[in-house]
Amino acid sequence: QVQLVESGGGLVQAGGSLRLSCEASGTIVSINVMGWYRQAPGKQRELVASITSSGITNYVESVKGRFTISRDNAKKTVSLQMNSLEPHDTGVYYCGADIKISRVFPQFFDYWGQGTPVTVSS
């Protein structure tokens, strides 16, 4: 079994900062891409930022320059530092990871955390 557990969400005023963290645990052989997604009320889940095992990052245009994703491969964690938060950043943030669970079979599978809410007030 694999679990992704997020922490760090909450309520913050516009212009403030939050740091989200996610730890993967369980039967894990390796982790490829890890990422943060968000789902605003009434909208589809969207990718906010992702990072490969070698540290290559990708951001949605709306968060570039404000958010920073990082990971610790040894600890199987990924974090999202969110600065200059704006009301449209409000949503439930999910950690996602592409994980290999078997040394016999080569497939990677997508796993998700339970989500952590972020609310930015104006």
Side-chain angles (χ1 to χ4, degrees), residues 35-54:
W36 287 95
Y37 300 72
R38 70 185 173 198
Q39 188 164 17
K43 295 188 176 181
Q44 289 189 329
R45 190 177 300 187
E46 65 168 348
L47 174 66
V48 175
S50 65
I51 183 167
T52 68
S53 57
S54 59

Side-chain angles (χ1 to χ4, degrees), residues 33-93:
V33 180
M34 301 184 83
W36 287 95
Y37 300 72
R38 70 185 173 198
Q39 188 164 17
K43 295 188 176 181
Q44 289 189 329
R45 190 177 300 187
E46 65 168 348
L47 174 66
V48 175
S50 65
I51 183 167
T52 68
S53 57
S54 59
I56 298 172
T57 59
N58 180 53
Y59 298 91
V60 68
E61 192 65 34
S62 62
V63 308
K64 286 181 179 178
R66 300 188 297 122
F67 291 11
T68 302
I69 189 170
S70 60
R71 70 188 275 177
D72 185 322
N73 290 329
K75 295 181 178 179
K76 300 184 183 65
T77 59
V78 61
S79 299
L80 186 68
Q81 177 66 43
M82 304 186 294
N83 298 327
S84 302
L85 282 159
E86 303 168 357
H88 66 76
D89 294 316
T90 293
V92 179
Y93 283 68

